[in-house]
Amino acid sequence: MSSSGAATSSATVAPALPSAKVIHVDTRGAIILSEESPETRDSRGIYLPNHIEPVSHIAVDVGGSLAKVVYFTRSPDPPPSPSVVATRGSSPPSSISTPRSLSPSDLSTTTEDSSVAPACSSSPSAAGSKLTGALTPLVLGQQCSSNVNSADGLSALHDNLLLRQRSLQPSTRPHNFPGGSLNFERFETDNIDDCVTFIHELISRSAEVNNVSIEEMRRSVKIMATGGGAHKFYELFREYLQVEVRREDEMECLIEGLKFITLIPDEAYFFSDELIASVSHPGNKGVPPLPESIHISLERPSPDPPKFGVTFESNPSPQLPCLLVNIGSGVSIIKVDEDGKFERVSGTSLGGGTLWGLLSLLTPATTFDEMLALSEQGDNSTVDMLVGDIYGQDYSKLGLKSTMIASTFGKVFKKGGKQGTFSPEDISKSLLYAMSNNIGQIAYMNAEKYGLDRIYFGGCFIRGHAATIATLSYAIRFWSKGTKRALFLRHEGFLGAIGAWIRNIDSETEE
Amino acid sequence: MSSSGAATSSATVAPALPSAKVIHVDTRGAIILSEESPETRDSRGIYLPNHIEPVSHIAVDVGGSLAKVVYFTRSPDPPPSPSVVATRGSSPPSSISTPRSLSPSDLSTTTEDSSVAPACSSSPSAAGSKLTGALTPLVLGQQCSSNVNSADGLSALHDNLLLRQRSLQPSTRPHNFPGGSLNFERFETDNIDDCVTFIHELISRSAEVNNVSIEEMRRSVKIMATGGGAHKFYELFREYLQVEVRREDEMECLIEGLKFITLIPDEAYFFSDELIASVSHPGNKGVPPLPESIHISLERPSPDPPKFGVTFESNPSPQLPCLLVNIGSGVSIIKVDEDGKFERVSGTSLGGGTLWGLLSLLTPATTFDEMLALSEQGDNSTVDMLVGDIYGQDYSKLGLKSTMIASTFGKVFKKGGKQGTFSPEDISKSLLYAMSNNIGQIAYMNAEKYGLDRIYFGGCFIRGHAATIATLSYAIRFWSKGTKRALFLRHEGFLGAIGAWIRNIDSETEE
């Protein structure tokens, strides 16, 4: 047995990947769409006004816990200002900080409800209800444009994009008009059938809308599969969907996705030191209390939080070299050179799956978001052994403050270790801190080893959760003595899927 | 909040500590005594035939979970060959691998029973029953020697050393004859009163045996206190025992203890690669199965296990420079230079306290040894997500074997995360692996950073437990690609206490 943190020389990939600037997606004027609901979170669409996709394809990244889907649908119209809606779209703290247990009916009716994430789209019926726009088949007659816009087949789907398209004059629009949106969907890997069903419906509806036969549609659509599941579920995708399925290397896709997403304005962000302190050291002397007002925007980082809070990269530039720490069920740590060459240099088996697993056994929470909500109400000092508990004071000589955690869960055994003795809130906070701290510590040591100052955190573990982001940020600031910075992404969980989509764009131009 | 893994420049200690050779304890001919019972484990006495302690003193290292006591008692006679008895002393696997829950009566009658460790000596009455030999007061009349040997007050205590002394001719022995034993005791920090009671009884019995007044005895005995509790419980020790209490820096004592203990023959040991593989990858292809026969000696490493198993340093030499990883409730990682200078360079809050705490909530085990016993029966692949679970195969390109752990506990959430769904054995194995792996990984990165090849693991977390030792060893071999070695110590938990005892020897000579 060993942790999956293997670092092998064979992991170096040659030849070099195309560096950011040669990605053949036109990102000029790209904007992140408003949240359709507070639950869509990292699934906000990205509008690319200048990109033209000659042939549609669907990218799928099947990880250990979640399957992510990315696809592009054309639409000529810029959406309303996202920043405003994105902020408004944030849910009030009450709904975040108060955990609620779900009834099965909740599950069957809500698809992207945050309280069932990462178990999104857990019912096939729900899976279909998120269909956004239509794919573009290879052969598209003139009738296409009108069909694209008279999207009766989709009208029942409350599709923002197509609803907007209704108001337009179809006849005036050419076939391959530029512009459209990248769409993002998440499914539980254990419910992989939902994912396949979703794609199946997307393809058949697109055929319908474009007025081409399903066979025609299948011939033109391609599945770009990556992640561990690309191997495990290859046959399932190919046989059920009857479309071409291409497998792409997971790490290559992650890096490709990172290079692309960091070119999107307002995608990358980081917490200010004050904010990190407010969230990770609440109530400490010299630490300003976290204003209730910014709690909202913290939950779902958006481009206009209070000045001292979150900073967004509004004028992004290529971000290589950097370290990418991808936190899914487990953790992969990838060094990316300036020329795009990369190596998986480390990792740890203590990742999102570990926290979900532990908290699902130790708390009544049934979803990861419930666990995160619990952690916000907790006080870890009831279960963690602090330096002060051992020394009765600071251990100044070593620079250990009395408030530092000497031993995670160190008080539990001493207090008898009975289930029910400790509050789910305190347990959740303690373990969220522990996992985030540990990942931050190992990430820092690798960043230091390879002399990298930019440390990107990706993966579905983060979920834009303030405490997680603050703890990871704090760990990097703490260990690097302020010389390195933790950077985050609004589409943190979709790097691999985006990369798989990108790689096809490139490959087509190569063909 | 942050983990206690602080590394601050202020942690560098100057002036340099005396390097190993100037320690004023004569270790020539030192031998580790036989186990009085399988439970004494790391508490075996150490016989020092050539050391003379002019004045007795008692060293106490009070950590977050355990308080360790070390003191020297004179005895002219070499004990019987330890190696033989030590091996025989090992308990059969059955008693190790079968967890049993204790009744309160068990607790009150057994002192060092492994099944109540680390909660040893949890009853005051029991605390007294382990008294070994007598301390030596400053002024010792001729009557002393006879009293030392007619130890009626101790005859009921089944004390091996004094029982042997009975057979000797008192009159023939001078006052300050050389030779004697270092004695080791462990108590729960939460039961610190037991520790104080034990020391109180030791002092008063010593007065009795030496026929001096208790006041006289108190004047000559000194307490050397270290660990966090040295500050927290300083007043308690001073007022209750009415003896001088000196506080010693924790890190300095750890290093002093390490330098001393590595001079004791058959103290330091390491696992062979075959053994590491047998224990940490049972049943893997190409891995020889672990012979039942060596299971016994593995549980309590002793000097004569099967050749391919454990190697003991029978001709020890100074071991600096090295990295010391002290695993107690939390973990301290200390870099020790060749000249004895040291720095606490890192640490993690994920330590012994974390594992004890988690397993006390997740399993019926009530003691740490029960948890370790459970882990030996477990199969972590039922709760851990392996690389093969995600990829359906190896991820050869990255050198990730399908049997590697991708996500600790990664299957728990997916399987519904209900208490009772998973066996305590599997949970114990998974979390023991995870903690040991993580500590090994962080330890390796520090060893690499500072160019150190010798990595010593100390602290009460290890407890001579084969799976723990094998996992830590494997992690070091894995990450260092076989260039670095994990080293272990039979008195792993007593480094700080031994160091505090040593430091007084030095200071006396300085006076």
Side-chain angles (χ1 to χ4, degrees):
Chain A
M1 142 307 333
S2 78
S3 115
S4 71
T8 68
S9 49
S10 71
T12 312
V13 172
L17 295 173
S19 71
K21 56 180 152 337
V22 308
I23 289 182
H24 298 136
V25 179
D26 192 335
T27 56
R28 285 170 304 155
I31 40 181
I32 298 174
L33 299 182
S34 62
E35 294 182 319
E36 289 153 29
S37 81
E39 289 71 32
T40 53
R41 194 167 253 168
D42 63 347
S43 311
R44 298 181 190 88
I46 298 178
Y47 188 73
L48 302 168
N50 297 299
H51 175 61
I52 301 176
E53 185 183 53
V55 186
S56 289
H57 57 281
I58 305 166
V60 190
D61 174 10
V62 187
S65 300
L66 296 176
K68 306 86 170 182
V69 178
V70 168
Y71 59 99
F72 182 83
T73 49
R74 299 188 306 165
S75 123
D77 317 321
S81 160
S83 58
V84 179
V85 193
T87 318
R88 209 187 313 120
S90 302
S91 63
S94 63
S95 78
I96 297 151
S97 34
T98 315
R100 61 190 187 81
S101 50
L102 283 177
S103 72
S105 62
D106 285 329
L107 286 165
S108 60
T109 51
T110 64
T111 303
E112 288 293 307
D113 185 319
S114 70
S115 55
V116 301
C120 339
S121 308
S122 45
S123 73
S125 67
S129 70
K130 281 288 298 168
L131 279 173
T132 308
L135 304 169
T136 313
L138 188 52
V139 291
L140 202 58
Q142 192 50 38
Q143 88 288 349
C144 138
S145 55
S146 59
N147 279 306
V148 167
N149 305 316
S150 67
D152 300 326
L154 297 173
S155 58
L157 302 176
H158 315 300
D159 183 299
N160 297 343
L161 287 173
L162 290 197
L163 285 177
R164 277 197 297 278
Q165 289 176 7
R166 282 246 178 65
S167 61
L168 298 167
Q169 304 311 320
S171 55
T172 66
R173 186 159 304 109
H175 156 37
N176 57 358
F177 56 83
S181 298
L182 267 182
N183 307 279
F184 303 86
E185 292 296 334
R186 250 193 272 105
F187 303 87
E188 264 189 297
T189 300
D190 285 352
N191 304 332
I192 194 67
D193 290 350
D194 295 350
C195 177
V196 176
T197 306
F198 172 84
I199 296 173
H200 173 73
E201 290 184 26
L202 176 62
I203 292 172
S204 36
R205 283 176 193 282
S206 298
E208 210 176 291
V209 170
N210 291 304
N211 217 3
V212 299
S213 71
I214 183 69
E215 294 71 21
E216 181 58 58
M217 198 70 209
R218 283 178 177 146
R219 269 196 297 280
S220 38
V221 170
K222 191 192 299 175
I223 304 280
M224 307 297 298
T226 188
H231 307 281
K232 195 172 175 186
F233 300 113
Y234 176 76
E235 286 306 327
L236 173 70
F237 279 108
R238 225 178 42 74
E239 282 168 17
Y240 185 84
L241 298 172
Q242 295 173 54
V243 299
E244 179 190 354
V245 179
R246 264 182 56 172
R247 279 175 289 195
E248 294 290 332
D249 176 74
E250 181 175 4
M251 294 297 144
E252 290 176 26
C253 289
L254 272 179
I255 303 308
E256 207 63 79
L258 175 70
K259 289 190 297 185
F260 171 80
I261 207 69
T262 49
L263 292 178
I264 305 298
D266 295 332
E267 170 71 29
Y269 63 92
F270 58 89
F271 274 19
S272 71
D273 293 352
E274 299 91 329
L275 186 51
I276 294 167
S278 317
V279 178
S280 60
H281 293 69
N284 266 29
K285 275 199 301 295
V287 172
L290 187 60
E292 254 323 297
S293 61
I294 70 165
H295 202 267
I296 299 168
S297 53
L298 274 188
E299 271 317 298
R300 314 248 190 284
S302 68
D304 57 359
K307 276 266 169 303
F308 86 98
V310 184
T311 304
F312 285 79
E313 298 283 3
S314 47
N315 300 312
S317 57
Q319 294 293 295
L320 309 186
C322 69
L323 193 73
L324 172 61
V325 182
N326 200 62
I327 314 176
S329 306
V331 180
S332 282
I333 299 180
I334 305 153
K335 164 175 82 78
V336 191
D337 302 337
E338 187 146 18
D339 61 3
K341 278 209 189 75
F342 66 89
E343 180 181 358
R344 184 186 189 279
V345 291
S346 190
T348 168
S349 70
L350 294 176
T354 314
L355 187 66
W356 307 347
L358 285 171
L359 292 185
S360 65
L361 291 184
L362 292 171
T363 74
T366 58
T367 73
F368 187 45
D369 283 353
E370 284 179 14
M371 297 168 192
L372 294 179
L374 282 174
S375 73
E376 290 175 12
Q377 306 303 304
D379 169 12
N380 64 299
S381 69
T382 64
V383 291
D384 292 347
M385 191 186 293
L386 307 185
V387 168
D389 296 321
I390 302 175
Y391 293 87
Q393 62 194 49
D394 293 354
Y395 192 171
S396 321
K397 190 172 182 179
L398 297 186
L400 302 181
K401 288 212 180 61
S402 65
T403 54
M404 282 180 172
I405 301 171
S407 173
T408 295
F409 257 49
K411 281 178 185 162
V412 172
F413 183 85
K414 290 156 66 76
K415 290 182 178 177
K418 299 263 177 309
Q419 279 270 10
T421 316
F422 308 93
S423 88
E425 291 80 3
D426 298 350
I427 287 173
S428 302
K429 180 162 225 158
S430 165
L431 294 180
L432 174 66
Y433 274 175
M435 291 301 144
S436 305
N437 259 324
N438 193 64
I439 292 168
Q441 179 175 6
I442 294 173
Y444 158 74
M445 294 201 74
N446 281 281
E448 183 194 33
K449 177 176 178 178
Y450 298 105
L452 300 168
D453 294 332
R454 271 184 298 250
I455 305 173
Y456 281 98
F457 288 91
C460 286
F461 167 77
I462 298 167
R463 304 184 61 69
H465 186 257
T468 310
I469 293 166
T471 311
L472 289 167
S473 302
Y474 182 89
I476 298 302
R477 304 293 281 175
F478 173 85
W479 287 103
S480 72
K481 304 197 171 75
T483 61
K484 300 184 192 299
R485 169 166 283 160
L487 296 158
F488 300 86
L489 303 161
R490 293 166 78 184
H491 292 85
E492 61 217 358
F494 287 91
L495 296 184
I498 294 170
W501 181 73
I502 297 287
R503 287 184 65 75
N504 191 48
I505 307 283
D506 291 342
S507 63
E508 275 170 353
T509 61
E510 286 153 16
E511 282 155 13
Chain B
M1 108 6 289
S2 78
S3 114
S4 72
T8 69
S9 49
S10 71
T12 314
V13 172
L17 295 172
S19 72
K21 56 181 156 330
V22 309
I23 288 181
H24 298 137
V25 179
D26 191 333
T27 57
R28 285 170 303 154
I31 41 181
I32 298 174
L33 299 182
S34 63
E35 294 182 319
E36 289 154 28
S37 81
E39 290 70 31
T40 53
R41 194 168 254 168
D42 62 347
S43 311
R44 298 182 189 89
I46 297 177
Y47 188 73
L48 303 167
N50 296 298
H51 175 61
I52 300 176
E53 184 182 53
V55 187
S56 289
H57 57 282
I58 305 165
V60 189
D61 174 10
V62 186
S65 300
L66 296 177
K68 307 88 175 182
V69 177
V70 168
Y71 60 98
F72 183 83
T73 49
R74 301 187 307 167
S75 128
D77 318 321
S81 160
S83 57
V84 179
V85 194
T87 318
R88 208 187 313 120
S90 301
S91 63
S94 62
S95 77
I96 296 151
S97 31
T98 314
R100 59 189 188 83
S101 50
L102 282 177
S103 71
S105 63
D106 286 326
L107 285 164
S108 60
T109 52
T110 63
T111 302
E112 288 291 310
D113 186 319
S114 70
S115 54
V116 300
C120 337
S121 308
S122 44
S123 74
S125 68
S129 70
K130 282 287 300 167
L131 280 172
T132 309
L135 303 168
T136 314
L138 188 53
V139 291
L140 200 57
Q142 192 51 39
Q143 85 288 352
C144 136
S145 54
S146 60
N147 278 305
V148 167
N149 306 317
S150 66
D152 301 327
L154 298 174
S155 59
L157 303 176
H158 316 300
D159 181 300
N160 297 344
L161 287 173
L162 292 195
L163 286 177
R164 280 195 297 278
Q165 289 177 10
R166 282 248 176 66
S167 62
L168 300 166
Q169 305 310 320
S171 54
T172 65
R173 187 159 305 109
H175 156 38
N176 56 356
F177 55 83
S181 297
L182 266 183
N183 307 280
F184 302 87
E185 291 297 334
R186 251 193 271 102
F187 303 87
E188 263 188 298
T189 300
D190 285 351
N191 303 331
I192 194 69
D193 290 350
D194 295 350
C195 177
V196 177
T197 306
F198 173 84
I199 296 172
H200 173 73
E201 290 184 24
L202 176 63
I203 292 172
S204 36
R205 284 176 191 280
S206 298
E208 209 176 293
V209 170
N210 292 304
N211 215 3
V212 299
S213 71
I214 181 71
E215 293 72 19
E216 180 59 55
M217 198 69 210
R218 283 178 178 147
R219 269 196 298 279
S220 41
V221 170
K222 193 192 299 175
I223 304 279
M224 307 297 299
T226 188
H231 306 281
K232 196 172 174 186
F233 299 112
Y234 176 76
E235 287 306 325
L236 174 68
F237 280 107
R238 224 177 43 75
E239 281 167 18
Y240 185 83
L241 299 172
Q242 295 173 55
V243 299
E244 179 190 353
V245 179
R246 264 182 56 172
R247 280 175 288 197
E248 295 288 332
D249 177 73
E250 180 174 4
M251 294 297 143
E252 291 176 23
C253 289
L254 273 178
I255 303 308
E256 206 64 81
L258 175 70
K259 290 191 298 186
F260 171 80
I261 207 71
T262 50
L263 294 177
I264 305 298
D266 295 332
E267 170 69 31
Y269 64 92
F270 57 90
F271 276 17
S272 70
D273 293 352
E274 300 90 330
L275 186 51
I276 293 168
S278 315
V279 178
S280 59
H281 293 68
N284 266 30
K285 275 200 300 292
V287 172
L290 185 60
E292 254 324 296
S293 61
I294 70 166
H295 203 266
I296 298 167
S297 53
L298 273 186
E299 271 317 299
R300 315 252 189 282
S302 67
D304 57 359
K307 274 272 168 300
F308 87 96
V310 184
T311 304
F312 285 81
E313 297 284 3
S314 47
N315 299 313
S317 57
Q319 293 293 295
L320 308 186
C322 70
L323 192 73
L324 172 62
V325 182
N326 200 63
I327 314 176
S329 306
V331 180
S332 283
I333 299 180
I334 306 152
K335 164 175 82 79
V336 191
D337 302 338
E338 188 146 19
D339 61 3
K341 279 210 189 73
F342 66 89
E343 180 180 358
R344 183 186 191 278
V345 290
S346 189
T348 168
S349 70
L350 294 176
T354 314
L355 187 66
W356 306 347
L358 285 171
L359 292 184
S360 65
L361 291 184
L362 292 172
T363 75
T366 59
T367 73
F368 187 44
D369 282 353
E370 285 179 14
M371 297 169 191
L372 293 179
L374 282 174
S375 73
E376 290 176 11
Q377 306 303 305
D379 169 12
N380 64 297
S381 69
T382 64
V383 291
D384 292 347
M385 190 186 292
L386 307 185
V387 168
D389 295 321
I390 301 176
Y391 294 86
Q393 62 192 53
D394 293 354
Y395 191 172
S396 321
K397 189 171 183 179
L398 298 187
L400 301 181
K401 288 213 179 61
S402 64
T403 53
M404 282 181 172
I405 301 172
S407 172
T408 294
F409 257 50
K411 281 177 184 164
V412 172
F413 183 86
K414 290 156 65 78
K415 289 182 178 177
K418 297 265 178 307
Q419 280 268 9
T421 316
F422 308 93
S423 88
E425 291 80 3
D426 298 349
I427 287 174
S428 302
K429 181 162 223 160
S430 165
L431 293 180
L432 174 66
Y433 274 176
M435 292 299 143
S436 305
N437 259 324
N438 193 63
I439 293 168
Q441 179 175 7
I442 294 173
Y444 159 73
M445 294 202 75
N446 280 281
E448 184 194 35
K449 177 176 178 179
Y450 298 105
L452 300 167
D453 294 333
R454 271 185 296 252
I455 305 174
Y456 281 97
F457 288 91
C460 286
F461 168 77
I462 298 167
R463 303 182 61 66
H465 186 257
T468 309
I469 294 166
T471 309
L472 289 167
S473 302
Y474 182 88
I476 298 302
R477 304 292 282 174
F478 173 84
W479 287 103
S480 72
K481 304 196 171 76
T483 61
K484 299 183 193 300
R485 168 166 283 160
L487 297 157
F488 299 87
L489 303 161
R490 293 165 79 184
H491 292 84
E492 60 216 358
F494 287 92
L495 295 184
I498 294 169
W501 182 73
I502 297 287
R503 286 183 66 75
N504 191 49
I505 306 282
D506 291 342
S507 63
E508 275 169 353
T509 61
E510 287 152 14
E511 283 156 11

